Amino acid sequence: MQKVYNPQEVEDRLYKMWLEKKYFHARIDWSKKPFTIVIPPPNITGQLHMGHALNNTIQDILIRFKRMQGYCALWLPGTDHASIATEAKIVEKMKEEGLTKEMIGREKFLERAWEWKRVYGGRIIEQLKKLGASCDWDRERFTMDEGLSNAVKEVFVRLYEKGLIYKGERMINWCPTCKTTISDAEVEYEEKKGKLWYIKYPGEDNSFFVVVATTRPETMLGDTAVAVNPNDERYKHLIGKKVVLPLVNREIPIIADEYVDMEFGTGVVKITPAHDPNDFEIGQRHNLPMIQVIDTKGYMNENAGRYAGQDRFEARKNIVNDLKSLGLLVKEEDYTHNVGHCYRCSTVIEPLVSKQWFVKMKPLAEPAIRVVKKGRIRFIPERFEKIYFNWMENIKDWCISRQLWWGHRIPAYYCRDCDNMMVSREEVKICSKCGSANVYQDEDTLDTWFSSALWPFSTLGWPEETEDLKYFYPTDVLVTAYDIIFFWVARMIFSALEHMGKEPFKYVLIHGIVRDAQGRKMSKSLGNGIDPLEIIEKYGADALRFTLVTGISPGNDTRFHMEKVEANRNFANKIWNAARFVIMNLDIDTKYKPDESKFTFTERWILSRLDALIKEVTENLEKFEIGIAAQKLYDFIWDEFCDWYIEMSKPILYNKEAENNREVQYVLLTVLTSVLKLLHPFMPFVTEEIYLNLPHDEESLVIAKWPEPGGYTYSQDISMVEKLIELIRSIRNLRVEKNIPASLKPTVFIKTDDVSMLQQRELWEIYAKRLANIEEVVVAQDAPQDSVSLVLSWGVAYIKLREIIDIQKELERLTEERERLLKEVERSEKLLGNQNFLQKAPQKVVDEEKEKYERYKQMLRSVEDQLERIRSLR
C-alpha cells in the first residue's frame, strides 16, 4: 500500500473494475429475496448538485448494504425527459441562432431535442458514477424509451376507456412564458406585497352603488357578476338587481353565493369566471357567461376594449388611473397575499379557462389514501403523511395536457371531415366513423409527471409480463426529498394501484435539503452553491459521501461544512494508516485459527465492542437511521479501534516471541476486515482498496457477506477497559493542563474499592504505563501529601506535584499570574467605586463588570492557594 491514500488514483480504477466484473448487475435468482430501488430519474438537462449527491448516496448505502446481506439487490437507474425544462433549454439555444420552434417546425425541433438528449442526457449518469453509485447500468431506462412510451400510451387509453381521462373546458394554470398549462402541483406560491383596490360599481339606475375590493383590477373587464353572501344583511335587498361595470358600461347581475366571505373587503366581490378558479366555480353554479380578457401571452385581448394589446400588468396601472379620473376608485390599501408562479420559470401564472385533457382524480386518490392509512406504505418520518393526505384528500382533477412538442404526444386523433375523436394505442390513419383519411393527431404532449408516475413498473417492462416485473416488483424503498411528495410520490402510488393492483414500494424515505453552513438554501442567486464534482476531485467521493450522511436524520435539512469534508478526508487517511500498520505487522492469513484462551482482556474487549457495533449498525440501517450508523462507525474506528486497541496491541505485536502474538494479529485482522465491510456502503472506495490489500477470502467488498456478531459478550472486560481508558485520559489531560514534559514519568497512586481493578492491576498497569507515560501504579490507602487528585468513576488517582512540575518555574509562573490578577481586581474595584460609571453606564455593562470582579477575586484566591502549596514543597 502507498504511504498516503490517493482517491484520484484509486476511485476510477476500482469503479471500472466493478463495472467490468458486473458486480452491480442483479441476476434474477428465485432462491434469493429481491430488494429493489428505482432511482428518482434526474432530468436530462441536469447536472449533479448537492441534493442529487445526498439522495443517491443514501440509495447507494441501502443497496450496497442489502447486496452484502445476500439479497438480489437491484438499483434501477434512468433519466427523465423533463418536457418543460428540456424544451426551454433547446428554445434558449435556438434563440442564439435567431430561430424559433415555429420557424423550423415540429419534426426538426424534435430532431434537435433527441440530439440534445444524446449530447447531454448521459452527463448526470457519468457524474453519478463518479459518486460511486452502484446502479445496474445494464437496465438503465429513459422515460421516452420505446417500452416506456408504450406504457404511457397503454395507461392513457385504459384510463380514457374507463372514463377517468376526459377532455373539457376547465380553469387551468397557464404560464405565459412557457406557453403551456401547468398542474396545481407545479404552481409555487410566494408571499408578495401588493395592493387591494376598492372600486365603485354604480347601480343600473344610479340609485345605489356597491364597492368591491380586488387585487387584480385588470380582470374586471371580464366580470360577469358581483356576488354577496346571502346571509349578509347589508346587501340582501340588492340581490337580483344589476350594476354597471365601470370602463365597459355593461350591466351585470348582483348574485348571492355562500362562497363570499363577509369579512373580506366590503363583503362584495367581483366575479370573473374566465380568470379565477373560485369565480369559475361560482360561474358554473349560476350559469354566468365567461369573458376572457387576457390571452396566452399575458396580454389583454380584443375583449379588453381600449386596453387590448397591453401587457396585463401595464393594463392594471392604466385601469387604476382611469378609475381614479372617473372618481370610481374609492381607496387602495397595502395588501400581502400569495401569488402563484410557474415552478420552472417563476413567471406569475394566469388562471385561464381552456379546453384541455384531465384525469379524474377522486376515484384514483381514494385507494391511494387507504394504503397509506393502513400502513401498507410507510412514510419515514411519519409526519410527512400529513402532507400526502392533505394533498390527496383535497385533490382536483389533474390537467395532463401540455402545449409543448418535446414529450409523449397525446394518443388522440381527430377527423377533419366529421370531427370524430379517436383515442388509440396505435397510430390512426383512417377515421373510424366516416372512413376519411383526413386525420391528424392531437398537437399537445402529456405532463412529464404522467410518465414518471409509471416509473416503478414501466421500467421493469410493464405492460409486458416480464421476468423482471414478476421478480423485482413491488420495489422496496423510494428515497426522495420532501418537495416532490405530491409531484411524484402520490402519482406513483395511485398509478401503481390502478395498473398493477399493488403498491409501488413499501417505504418512502424522505430526506431534507442540503443547505450551506449558514443554513441557507443553495442557489445561483446567493452564489453559495457547492459543486459536488469539485469536492470529489479534491477530496475524493468517500469524503463527500460520508460528510453528506453523517449526522443526518430522515426528513430534516442538513448543513454542509467544508471543514467536515476535510475531517472526513482525514478519517479516510486514518483508516488507511491503521490498515498499513496492520498489514506491516501481519504474518498470518485468513485461515489462521486462534487459541481464544490466549486472548487478553483487550482482545475480548474489542471483539465484544465489535459485536455490539455490528448489531447496532445493522439495526440502524434496517430502520433507515443512516446518520446514526455513520456516526457509530466513525466513533468506533477512530476512537476505540485506532486510538485504543491498536495502541494496546503494540507491546505484544512488536514482541514476536510473545505467546499471544498471533492471536493479537488475528484480532487486528478480524476487526479491521469487519469494520471495512460495515463502512463499505458509506465509503466504498477506500474500504475496497484496503480490503484488496489485506489477506481476504472474498473477491470484493461489493459482493462480500455482511458481518454478523461473533458471540463475544465479555462485559467484565468491557468494564475494565473503560475504567482503564478513563484513567489514561485523566492523566493525559493533566499532562496537557500542567504542561508536563514527556521526559517526566510520574508515579500514580490509586485509591479504590473496585475489587476487579485491584485484582487485575498487573494486567492493565502495562497499558497505563505505556499509554499515559507513567513510571508505575501504586495502590494507596490515603492521598499522598502535596498531590493532585484525579476523581474517577471507580476511585481516585493521585500524582505528587514534585514529580510533575519544575517548582522554581511554577513559582515564577504563579507569581506573575498573581500580579496580573491583583491589577485586574484593583482596576475593577476602582471602576465599581466610581459613581459616575454606576449611574451612566448601561445596567448590562455594570452587571458584567461586577461578574468580572467576583471572577478575578476567585481566581486570585486559587492562585494564592497554589503558591502556598508550591512554597511548602521547597
Side-chain angles (χ1 to χ4, degrees), residues 375-410:
R376 280 156 55 187
I377 294 176
R378 284 184 53 207
F379 279 76
I380 297 166
E382 199 177 309
R383 68 178 186 270
F384 286 98
E385 287 179 5
K386 286 180 186 171
I387 295 172
Y388 175 81
F389 290 137
N390 185 48
W391 194 67
M392 293 294 270
E393 285 163 0
N394 297 288
I395 202 162
K396 293 177 183 172
D397 285 0
W398 174 18
C399 177
I400 54 170
S401 44
R402 298 289 178 268
Q403 288 62 54
L404 301 165
W405 287 352
W406 174 241
H408 295 101
R409 199 163 170 183
I410 289 174

Side-chain angles (χ1 to χ4, degrees), residues 3-5 7 538-540 542-544 546-547 562-579 634 637-639 642-643 679 683 686 690:
K3 264 193 171 182
V4 179
Y5 175 59
K538 189 172 180 184
Y539 297 101
D542 288 333
L544 173 64
F546 209 70
T547 298
M562 282 307 300
E563 297 81 5
K564 274 178 75 179
V565 182
E566 289 175 14
N568 288 317
R569 187 264 317 271
N570 296 342
F571 179 48
N573 290 337
K574 182 90 169 175
I575 303 161
W576 184 263
N577 292 335
Y634 181 93
I637 293 167
W638 190 290
D639 193 28
C642 294
D643 284 358
L679 188 62
M683 301 177 88
V686 68
I690 293 170

Side-chain angles (χ1 to χ4, degrees), residues 71-322:
Y71 287 82
C72 182
L74 168 63
W75 183 12
L76 195 147
T79 48
D80 188 61
H81 65 283
S83 53
I84 292 181
T86 306
E87 185 150 320
K89 292 268 186 190
I90 299 161
V91 167
E92 202 179 306
K93 204 164 188 292
M94 283 167 54
K95 205 173 176 183
E96 295 168 13
E97 302 171 46
L99 295 172
T100 64
K101 282 165 59 178
E102 292 70 26
M103 285 165 72
I104 66 168
R106 187 170 197 139
E107 204 173 310
K108 290 285 182 193
F109 178 81
L110 289 177
E111 282 175 19
R112 282 176 175 252
W114 280 105
E115 179 60 17
W116 173 282
K117 192 264 174 189
R118 191 189 66 77
V119 175
Y120 298 108
R123 180 174 58 179
I124 197 164
I125 295 296
E126 291 311 307
Q127 292 168 347
L128 287 173
K129 291 176 180 178
K130 280 275 183 198
L131 189 67
S134 64
C135 296
D136 186 344
W137 300 110
D138 295 338
R139 285 186 171 90
E140 186 186 337
R141 305 306 299 267
F142 174 54
T143 45
M144 283 177 63
D145 283 350
E146 186 183 350
L148 275 73
S149 296
N150 288 339
V152 167
K153 278 188 256 186
E154 183 65 32
V155 165
F156 188 97
V157 174
R158 284 190 189 188
L159 292 177
Y160 177 77
E161 287 172 351
K162 280 184 82 169
L164 292 174
I165 280 183
Y166 64 92
K167 193 173 188 181
E169 274 205 321
R170 296 282 183 276
M171 178 63 64
I172 52 94
N173 306 299
W174 182 268
C175 175
T177 301
C178 297
K179 296 183 181 59
T180 180
T181 60
I182 58 174
S183 71
D184 291 340
E186 293 163 321
V187 178
E188 289 183 346
Y189 288 91
E190 285 178 39
E191 208 172 67
K192 293 275 187 186
K193 286 180 179 174
K195 297 283 182 187
L196 193 59
W197 286 277
Y198 289 78
I199 303 165
K200 194 187 286 186
Y201 282 43
E204 58 190 321
D205 56 2
N206 274 325
S207 64
F208 70 94
F209 63 84
V210 292
V211 176
V212 303
T214 180
T215 58
R216 301 191 67 207
E218 68 277 12
T219 63
M220 68 181 289
L221 308 174
D223 286 359
T224 53
V226 294
V228 297
N229 191 295
N231 304 311
D232 195 331
E233 295 296 336
R234 294 172 294 177
Y235 304 116
K236 271 186 176 179
H237 65 291
L238 296 177
I239 295 166
K241 293 190 175 185
K242 290 182 178 178
V243 291
V244 178
L245 181 62
L247 306 177
V248 178
N249 296 324
R250 184 175 72 245
E251 286 188 354
I252 57 174
I254 299 172
I255 61 170
D257 197 281
E258 294 276 358
Y259 169 77
V260 179
D261 180 358
M262 290 188 277
E263 304 300 317
F264 177 76
T266 60
V268 185
V269 294
K270 56 190 270 326
I271 305 298
T272 322
H275 290 285
D276 182 276
N278 298 311
D279 291 4
F280 176 79
E281 299 294 335
I282 294 171
Q284 295 283 295
R285 287 197 289 274
H286 296 271
N287 295 315
L288 297 174
M290 286 190 290
I291 302 171
Q292 189 171 321
V293 293
I294 301 171
D295 69 16
T296 55
K297 292 177 183 174
Y299 286 84
M300 309 306 288
N301 68 11
E302 65 280 0
N303 293 330
R306 66 177 179 273
Y307 305 100
Q310 294 179 13
D311 172 81
R312 54 189 167 151
F313 299 116
E314 180 196 351
R316 178 182 294 179
K317 288 177 193 167
N318 294 333
I319 286 167
V320 168
N321 288 333
D322 289 348

Side-chain angles (χ1 to χ4, degrees), residues 72 176 305 476 524 778:
C72 182
D476 289 85
K524 283 180 187 173
V778 174

Side-chain angles (χ1 to χ4, degrees), residues 720-764:
M720 189 166 156
V721 173
E722 284 171 352
K723 290 169 186 174
L724 172 60
I725 288 172
E726 184 188 4
L727 172 66
I728 293 167
R729 277 191 174 138
S730 298
I731 298 168
R732 284 176 173 177
N733 291 340
L734 180 70
R735 295 188 79 101
V736 171
E737 186 190 316
K738 298 291 182 186
N739 202 20
I740 303 168
S743 56
L744 283 178
K745 291 190 175 186
T747 297
V748 176
F749 297 84
I750 298 285
K751 184 183 175 187
T752 182
D753 295 327
D754 191 312
V755 177
S756 64
M757 292 302 281
L758 289 172
Q759 286 176 343
Q760 300 186 74
R761 194 190 85 205
E762 287 180 11
L763 285 175
W764 56 258

